[in-house]
DNA sequence: TAGATAGTTAGACAAACATCTGAATATTGA
DNA sequence: TCAATATTCAGATGTTTGTCTAACTATCTA
């Protein structure tokens, strides 16, 4: 299940989207201003992130506002914590 | 630069390799026993992980021993920490 | 040096992916 | 209802990725 999350994170455009969303919620159009790709391409990336559970979307009038879902991000961090000794020990 | 790391993590086989390596160093052959793919395929995955800096290899006689490079893993965790409020705050 | 074992390199191929253009859907405001 | 704006859907295309088989390199042992 976390597989989708890792795959979603593999693309630099999608990681950048998450970084932008970290600063605050954005509409698809606002996000588009930060990239040199077409809107359909961006929409596709957003769909991938949504499918992985990393973002949620909500329509506000004409706009669709995207937000970060930090819960799923936490799950991914949980996987990493198994590899570190500082702060997240569980079995060593 | 962390891009290669994220891409390397996108594949379930490679994540499993890292999990196995977490338990202790392994030769390519020992790792191969855990998967249903050909040795060349596994070798390719190991090369990807090595290229991303996530593992290191060292020849011991006939065998090549693979080890985890937790330092690079820490770098990836650093990226995630920017998205959480628990334990790794830097700019909020 | 020859044979066996461990692993990688090379080349091919199908599936997945990122991107594009053009068309469709949804909402707003005149 | 009509036109404008915001966003997604559909289909096509070139690139990357995961996998395979066959061949190669390196090491050990006799």
């Amino acid at each position: 299940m976390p597989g989708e999350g890792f795959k979603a994170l593999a693309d630099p455009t999608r990681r950048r989207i998450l970084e932008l969303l970290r600063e605050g919620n954005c509409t698809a159009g606002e996000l588009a201003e930060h990239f040199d790709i077409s809107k359909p391409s961006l929409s596709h990336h957003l769909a991938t992130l949504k499918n992985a559970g990393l973002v949620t979307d909500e329509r506000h009038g004409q706009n669709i506002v995207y937000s970060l879902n930090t819960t799923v991000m936490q799950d991914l961090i949980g996987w990493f914590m198994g590899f570190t000794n500082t702060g997240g020990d569980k079995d060593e």
Side-chain angles (χ1 to χ4, degrees), chain A residues 5 8-9 11-24 31 35 46 49-50 53-56 67-69 73 76:
Chain A
L9 252 23
D11 185 87
T13 297
R14 287 194 291 267
R15 288 197 301 278
R16 186 84 188 102
I17 290 171
L18 295 175
E19 288 168 359
L20 289 167
L21 251 29
R22 180 176 54 182
E23 309 302 322
L31 288 170
F35 300 96
L46 288 168
L49 288 169
K50 197 169 78 172
L54 286 163
V55 305
T56 57
S67 322
L68 212 56
N69 181 358
M73 198 74 76
L76 295 176

Side-chain angles (χ1 to χ4, degrees), chain A residues 40-79:
Chain A
S41 293
L42 185 67
S43 183
H44 174 65
H45 283 305
L46 288 168
T48 300
L49 288 169
K50 197 169 78 172
N51 184 57
L54 286 163
V55 305
T56 57
D57 64 340
E58 193 176 353
R59 181 176 278 277
H60 281 255
Q62 268 169 303
N63 305 307
I64 294 181
V65 177
Y66 281 87
S67 322
L68 212 56
N69 181 358
T70 48
T71 304
V72 173
M73 198 74 76
Q74 297 276 4
D75 290 346
L76 295 176
I77 291 178
W79 185 84

